[in-house]
Amino acid sequence: MSILIKGGTVIGPTGAALQDVLIDGETIAALYQPGKAPQIDQTIDATGKYVIPGAVDAHTHMELPFGGTHASDTFDTGTRAAAIGGTTTIVDFAVQRYGEVVQDGLAAWHGKADGNCHIDYAFHMILGGVDDDSLKAMDQLVATEGISSFKLFMAYPGVFYSDDGQILRAMQKARDNGAMIMMHAENGPAIDVLVKQALERGETDPIHHGLTRPQELEAEATSRAIWLASVAADCPLYIVHLSASKALEQVKAARDLGRNVFAETCPQYLYLTLEDQLGAPGFEGAKWVCSTPLRSKHETHRADLWQGLRTNDLSVVSTDHCPFCFKDQKELGLGDFSKIPNGIGSVEHRVDLLYQGVVDKKLSLARWVETIATTPARMFGLYPRKGIIAPGSDADIVLYDPNGRTRISVETHHMNMDHSAWEGWEIDGRVDTVLARGEVIVANGEYSGRAGRGKYLKRGLSDYLL
Ligand code: DUC
Ligand code: ZN
Ligand code: ZN
């Protein structure tokens, strides 16, 4: 079936243009100057709207086991919420737990996702233990499973943590097989010392989660990861959820030297703070316990991160969507902040939250689309199938209404959470219509998709390998 999207302004990496978009079946057939397209029975009027590629969220954790519980969104609820918010592809993290066979962890993740996703999805693999077997598994995952990126943790000793020797071995393997190493860059053993000391002093409130994870320990780990990647013959390195100015300085210095180093940040670090959210009275701040943590509003983190997005020292905005309900989940940490499950849920709101950056003149329209769609697709081997409006690409398209308004609340969101990290926020812009592989799944804000329509995507290597 053919559909013509007429009268809209198509936004791509090179800017904005009035163009009509012809869709044939699941893919984009052609772009036309306004009025030059052939006559088609089904048209969608996009007058006054931006026509952007469906957004790609390269960092989600549906159903992640963490802190004695599980992230509260399933692949069903989480991908439905993503779709409603204009995200048409996620890359979730399959998990190899310590002592588990990598392929078994991957099979378990397929078991959670298969038949349940509303949008297309792919996986990175978390390596919970680097040894001879998991190194061999990396080759197989790259060659046959469409998984070309592996996350390692410098934090969480005893859970996901890898020591420097393990990290180096995984980086050497990635340098050989073309994969990307994604790094959770925080010095976990040092953080654990600070956490123990804080608890001994009776400091148990959520704000101490942030105070025991100072930016120096993010910057130190970021720098160490960069040097280890250098020793591994410039293995491609991607720093996840970068939150702090001093960590950004490390990435910028490496990139200025032409190093194969990339980083993402997340909406929470662009807008929320240690004092205003994590430091909310009583136990309320638990809603904003995530790692890396929210940073101080009295320092320059947020301004620096916006600037990093403009200069491409930060290439991508992902959510690190890892939702936990307040009741019974966040509450596990009542009286001990170190037992609060780490994570914030935002998969539904990233497109809107970053559009607010355009309204606030912190990002150009082109950079908005690049950081939420085009670059994540290129970074993780999904381009040009995803991330761009071009002939041959999947017809994943969002009609975005710049004159609309979005009000965020637990009363109206679709994520499986009993609170919102963004409660009461009213922002400019609104997702109006969403097409996923040529099917209209959101029209005028109303959802009409279904679980099981999303397909698993085998990814290629990153476009950005040196
Ligand atoms: N950070 C979080 O906030 N949640 C899950 C894992 C992580 O690294
Ligand atoms: Zn992480
Ligand atoms: Zn994460």
Side-chain angles (χ1 to χ4, degrees):
M1 191 182 65
S2 298
I3 300 176
L4 185 65
I5 300 176
K6 277 175 75 171
T9 301
V10 174
I11 314 287
T14 53
L18 277 173
Q19 283 176 320
D20 296 344
V21 182
L22 179 63
I23 296 167
D24 184 18
E26 296 196 348
T27 57
I28 295 166
L31 281 84
Y32 293 93
Q33 300 286 319
K36 301 277 194 222
Q39 204 69 23
I40 297 291
D41 284 345
Q42 190 178 350
T43 59
I44 298 176
D45 181 10
T47 306
K49 312 253 170 34
Y50 295 132
V51 180
I52 66 171
V56 178
D57 193 337
H59 189 156
T60 69
H61 296 288
M62 306 304 171
E63 304 180 35
L64 177 75
F66 193 96
T69 184
H70 282 78
S72 57
D73 264 320
T74 61
F75 279 89
D76 180 354
T77 61
T79 59
R80 181 171 181 271
I84 291 168
T87 288
T88 50
T89 304
I90 59 164
V91 191
D92 200 82
F93 284 84
V95 178
Q96 176 218 7
R97 285 190 250 203
Y98 182 72
E100 186 181 28
V101 173
V102 172
Q103 285 87 348
D104 291 348
L106 176 59
W109 231 256
H110 277 297
K112 292 173 198 274
D114 286 358
N116 293 320
C117 291
H118 294 245
I119 53 174
D120 291 350
Y121 62 100
F123 294 148
H124 313 285
M125 190 86 216
I126 287 175
L127 293 182
V130 177
D131 57 19
D132 290 347
D133 290 338
S134 57
L135 289 169
K136 224 178 278 160
M138 285 173 75
D139 284 337
Q140 196 237 317
L141 264 54
V142 172
T144 65
E145 302 300 322
I147 294 180
S148 53
S149 41
F150 297 86
K151 184 178 180 189
L152 301 174
F153 288 78
M154 301 169 102
Y156 304 127
V159 188
F160 293 130
Y161 176 78
S162 290
D163 67 27
D164 291 351
Q166 291 174 307
I167 290 169
L168 182 60
R169 292 186 77 199
M171 285 177 165
Q172 289 169 331
K173 175 57 80 181
R175 177 76 275 190
D176 281 351
N177 65 25
M180 178 82 80
I181 293 294
M182 306 175 78
M183 190 62 75
H184 180 126
E186 288 187 295
N187 184 325
I191 287 167
D192 279 4
V193 169
L194 297 182
V195 168
K196 185 164 177 285
Q197 291 168 347
L199 291 173
E200 281 166 3
R201 288 193 297 270
E203 296 165 354
T204 59
D205 284 347
I207 194 168
H208 295 287
H209 171 79
L211 296 175
T212 54
R213 304 179 96 91
Q215 68 158 331
E216 287 77 4
L217 296 183
E218 184 182 347
E220 183 277 329
T222 303
S223 163
R224 189 157 32 100
I226 290 169
W227 283 117
L228 288 168
S230 169
V231 172
D234 215 12
C235 152
L237 173 66
Y238 179 97
I239 306 290
V240 293
H241 48 55
L242 189 147
S243 70
S245 300
K246 286 185 197 294
L248 180 57
E249 280 169 24
Q250 305 302 318
V251 169
K252 187 172 169 356
R255 290 178 60 79
D256 287 350
L257 291 172
R259 294 283 313 284
N260 216 1
V261 171
F262 309 92
E264 68 174 16
T265 191
C266 312
Q268 52 269 35
Y269 308 118
L270 293 165
Y271 288 106
L272 309 179
T273 67
L274 177 93
E275 293 83 4
D276 292 334
Q277 278 79 29
L278 198 51
F283 190 63
E284 193 72 7
K287 293 175 184 172
W288 295 278
V289 165
C290 58
S291 296
T292 53
L294 302 184
R295 299 295 176 189
S296 174
K297 68 177 177 184
H298 303 302
E299 297 166 342
T300 57
H301 306 286
R302 289 176 295 172
D304 291 344
L305 295 179
W306 283 111
Q307 179 172 311
L309 287 173
R310 287 193 294 277
T311 59
N312 201 33
D313 289 312
L314 294 170
S315 308
V316 169
V317 179
S318 308
T319 54
D320 194 7
H321 178 75
C322 192
F324 295 101
C325 288
F326 195 77
K327 182 105 194 69
D328 295 338
Q329 292 198 298
K330 291 288 185 179
E331 281 177 355
L332 292 169
L334 267 169
D336 179 350
F337 70 85
S338 72
K339 297 204 163 63
I340 301 169
N342 289 198
I344 287 183
S346 300
V347 77
E348 191 169 345
H349 304 311
R350 182 182 57 127
V351 173
D352 290 317
L353 289 166
L354 266 290
Y355 181 69
Q356 189 61 37
V358 177
V359 174
D360 295 343
K361 305 217 177 309
K362 290 174 171 152
L363 280 189
S364 67
L365 273 174
R367 195 71 190 131
W368 170 50
V369 168
E370 224 169 26
T371 56
I372 62 171
T374 314
T375 304
R378 297 189 67 178
M379 188 69 70
F380 295 111
L382 290 167
Y383 185 89
R385 181 165 180 191
K386 305 293 186 187
I388 184 125
I389 295 183
S393 296
D394 281 357
D396 291 1
I397 298 175
V398 174
L399 272 53
Y400 198 79
D401 181 1
N403 298 312
R405 297 275 292 164
T406 298
R407 185 167 184 282
I408 304 180
S409 171
V410 65
E411 306 297 334
T412 46
H413 76 197
H414 301 83
M415 301 175 289
N416 185 34
M417 293 174 73
D418 62 0
H419 65 279
S420 172
W422 310 89
E423 185 62 42
W425 279 51
E426 266 211 63
I427 49 181
D428 294 302
R430 174 175 170 269
V431 172
D432 178 273
T433 301
V434 179
L435 293 94
R437 274 188 282 104
E439 180 182 346
V440 177
I441 58 170
V442 177
N444 202 15
E446 288 297 312
Y447 187 68
S448 60
R450 68 199 171 282
R453 65 162 303 290
K455 285 189 188 155
Y456 177 67
L457 302 167
K458 286 193 173 185
R459 295 185 291 118
L461 301 183
S462 173
D463 268 14
Y464 294 109
L465 297 184
L466 287 182

